[in-house]
């Protein structure tokens, strides 16, 4: 059983590496596509919105469909579709064709978060669960470092058509590996014991059949703002660096530094949240995010590059604690749907914000738009009061 649990976690982490890598290599490609197709910042934001919007819209349907056809089968099919979308994007010659390919990839990517989270939460219970989810969340940040770095390196020797095609081929290889590693049927540790009691003694709100309680709503609201500000900042960051004199290769390296910091932040903050609580962790990371975002504006490109790992720590640290808290606030048998709703909201917010902040960047300038993003992070602070009340109740 222990070996089977490791196989499930390894497969879920592998899927997370690929899908999060796909999502974040887009930030490396945005300046390339802007020059290739003569796009405005709003157009660039619309590409991110199309991809993330397609991904967000099918989170709940994916989790519900998996109950009928099986989580493994749907995860493999979605990963295949995502890979095909990137493979086809290498053959596009216009903006509309590229947008269609990103929508296709976004549809395929919609299955990964709810199904991998559900598979992990079915396989682990008790003290192991938060650590398993933290490991799963951390793995996504490995993909955010590896694939954008690989993409930036390949852009130095190949054109973008070839690079995106190679990314698609990597996805096809990943599908074959996942098919081998994932067991044919999911496992549920202590399912009979856990079905009649909440997943954590910390939250009585998890009792019952409805997961839309005060704690879950407060948690999701914080995650929505956190996701919107993170995606908006990452979309505009390459253009801020270019305005300071950075090259495309330097932009790719800068994003890798940010994602590396994010990986460390997500991994560490997940365990910090387990020890000190998600509320204190959220307050610290969100305030730090506002300060560090603001500091990227007046400083030179070299200093900003040195800062970016810290920016990544603050930027991604919050999300790990938030994701790991979902099982504490919902009934065990409702986790798949709860994760589907949670990811729909967070990814949906991350889908809309690049378009909104892209328009702001066109009209106010990139620096002013980033300043606006930094201030909006602070909206999460009063929402922690609702989460605190939920835990007290």
């Amino acid at each position: 059983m222990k070996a089977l649990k490791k196989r499930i976690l390894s497969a879920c982490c592998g899927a997370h590496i690929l899908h999060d890598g796909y999502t974040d290599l887009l930030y490396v490609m945005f300046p390339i596509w802007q020059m290739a197709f003569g796009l405005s910042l709003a157009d660039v934001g619309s590409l991110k919105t199309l991809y993330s919007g397609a991904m967000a819209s099918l989170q709940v349907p994916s989790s519900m469909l998996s109950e009928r056809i099986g989580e493994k089968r749907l995860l493999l099919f979605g990963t295949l579709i995502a890979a095909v979308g990137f493979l086809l994007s290498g053959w596009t010659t216009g903006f509309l064709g590229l947008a269609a390919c990103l929508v296709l990839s976004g549809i395929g990517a919609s299955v990964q978060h709810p199904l991998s989270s559900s598979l992990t939460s079915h396989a682990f219970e008790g003290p192991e669960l938060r650590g398993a989810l933290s490991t799963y969340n951390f793995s996504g940040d490995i993909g955010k470092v590896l694939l954008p770095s690989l993409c930036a390196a390949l852009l130095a020797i190949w054109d973008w058509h070839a690079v995106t095609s190679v990314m698609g081929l990597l996805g096809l290889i990943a599908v074959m590996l996942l098919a081998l590693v994932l067991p044919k049927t999911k496992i549920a540790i202590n399912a009979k014991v856990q079905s009649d009691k909440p997943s954590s003694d910390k939250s009585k709100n998890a009792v019952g059949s409805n997961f839309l309680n005060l704690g879950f709503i407060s948690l999701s609201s914080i995650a929505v703002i956190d996701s919107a500000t993170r995606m908006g900042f990452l979309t505009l960051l390459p253009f801020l660096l270019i305005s300071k004199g950075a090259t495309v290769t330097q932009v790719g390296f800068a994003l890798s530094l940010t994602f590396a910091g994010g990986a460390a932040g997500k991994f560490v903050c997940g365990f910090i949240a387990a020890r000190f609580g998600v509320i204190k962790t959220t307050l610290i990371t969100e305030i730090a995010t506002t300060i560090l975002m603001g500091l990227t504006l007046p400083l030179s490109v070299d200093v900003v590059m040195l800062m970016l790992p810290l920016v990544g720590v603050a930027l991604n640290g919050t999300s790990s604690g938030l994701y790991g808290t979902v099982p504490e606030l919902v009934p065990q048998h409702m986790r798949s749907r709860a994760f589907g709703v949670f990811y729909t909201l967070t990814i949906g917010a991350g889908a809309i914000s690049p378009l909104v902040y892209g328009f702001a960047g066109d009209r106010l300038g990139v620096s002013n738009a980033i300043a606006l993003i930094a201030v909006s992070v602070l909206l999460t602070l009063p929402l922690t009061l609702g989460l605190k009340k939920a835990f007290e109740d």
Side-chain angles (χ1 to χ4, degrees):
M1 185 65 71
K2 186 176 181 180
L4 190 61
K5 288 161 65 176
K6 287 183 178 180
R7 281 179 58 189
I8 291 175
L9 182 59
S10 298
C12 292
C13 288
H16 205 185
I17 287 171
L18 177 73
H19 284 270
D20 273 25
Y22 273 172
T23 299
D24 284 15
L25 70 81
L26 295 178
Y27 298 121
V28 178
M29 298 304 304
F30 284 153
I32 305 295
W33 288 332
Q34 184 196 38
M35 292 184 289
F37 302 119
L39 307 179
S40 66
L41 291 176
D43 293 331
V44 170
S46 70
L47 290 175
K48 176 63 176 172
T49 295
L50 288 171
Y51 180 88
S52 297
M55 182 165 58
S57 63
L58 296 176
Q59 298 282 308
V60 174
S62 295
S63 63
M64 297 177 69
L65 184 60
S66 69
E67 297 172 2
R68 298 175 63 99
I69 69 174
E71 291 165 325
K72 174 183 176 179
R73 188 177 302 173
L74 188 57
L75 180 59
L76 292 175
F77 180 71
T79 304
L80 176 63
I81 295 299
V84 169
F86 272 94
L87 185 64
L88 293 177
S89 70
W91 298 85
T92 58
T93 57
F95 174 76
L96 293 179
L98 176 62
C101 289
L102 292 182
V103 170
L104 181 64
S105 289
I107 290 172
S110 65
V111 306
Q112 191 276 134
H113 282 111
L115 299 191
S116 294
S117 299
S118 178
L119 283 167
T120 302
S121 64
H122 283 305
F124 295 87
E125 279 295 341
E128 292 182 323
L129 178 56
R130 184 179 283 275
L133 286 174
S134 294
T135 303
Y136 162 72
N137 283 318
F138 170 71
S139 68
D141 287 274
I142 295 176
K144 293 176 181 179
V145 175
L146 291 180
L147 266 66
S149 299
L150 177 61
C151 188
L154 292 177
L155 284 169
I157 54 176
W158 294 340
D159 66 10
W160 69 266
H161 296 279
V163 172
T164 53
S165 295
V166 168
M167 295 300 109
L169 291 174
L170 286 177
L172 297 180
I173 295 172
V175 172
M176 292 185 285
L177 292 176
L178 288 173
L180 293 174
V181 176
L182 276 172
K184 293 182 179 180
T185 57
K186 69 181 180 181
I187 61 172
I189 306 300
N190 298 329
K192 184 176 180 180
V193 176
Q194 294 291 334
S195 61
D196 295 326
K197 66 180 182 179
S199 59
S200 173
D201 293 336
K202 294 181 180 179
S203 177
K204 296 180 182 179
N205 289 325
V207 180
S209 60
N210 181 18
F211 61 82
L212 296 178
N213 51 62
L214 174 63
F216 182 79
I217 292 172
S218 298
L219 188 78
S220 299
S221 299
I222 295 170
V224 162
I225 297 173
D226 181 68
S227 177
T229 54
R230 181 170 62 255
M231 299 304 179
F233 176 74
L234 290 173
T235 300
L236 294 180
L237 177 60
F239 300 99
L240 175 67
L241 296 174
I242 289 173
S243 71
K244 293 176 179 287
T247 65
V248 172
T249 302
Q250 286 177 312
V251 167
F253 181 62
L255 288 169
S256 296
L257 289 175
T258 306
F259 297 142
K266 185 170 285 189
F267 184 72
V268 172
C269 289
F271 290 98
I272 292 177
R275 182 173 179 81
F276 298 104
V278 66
I279 296 175
K280 291 181 180 178
T281 305
T282 299
L283 292 173
I284 294 170
T285 54
E286 298 293 44
I287 292 173
T289 298
T290 296
I291 294 172
L292 291 170
M293 276 189 189
L295 289 176
T296 63
L297 301 178
L299 299 176
S300 66
V301 65
D302 293 332
V303 179
V304 171
M305 295 279 277
L306 293 174
M307 283 179 49
L308 286 178
L310 288 177
V311 175
V313 170
L315 205 60
N316 271 20
T318 308
S319 62
S320 185
L322 298 177
Y323 297 149
T325 305
V326 171
E328 296 182 3
L329 298 170
V330 300
Q332 193 273 344
H333 64 283
M334 297 290 288
R335 286 178 184 170
S336 181
R337 296 193 182 189
F339 274 119
V341 171
F342 185 83
Y343 282 117
T344 296
L345 294 172
T346 56
I347 297 175
I352 296 171
S353 64
L355 180 60
V356 173
Y357 289 123
F359 276 115
D362 285 331
R363 285 155 179 75
L364 304 176
V366 173
S367 296
N368 289 332
I370 289 178
L372 179 63
I373 296 172
V375 173
S376 66
V377 176
L378 298 177
L379 294 174
T380 60
L381 302 186
L383 291 171
T384 58
L385 297 176
L387 194 59
K388 181 180 179 181
K389 186 177 187 301
F391 281 120
E392 288 176 348
D393 291 340

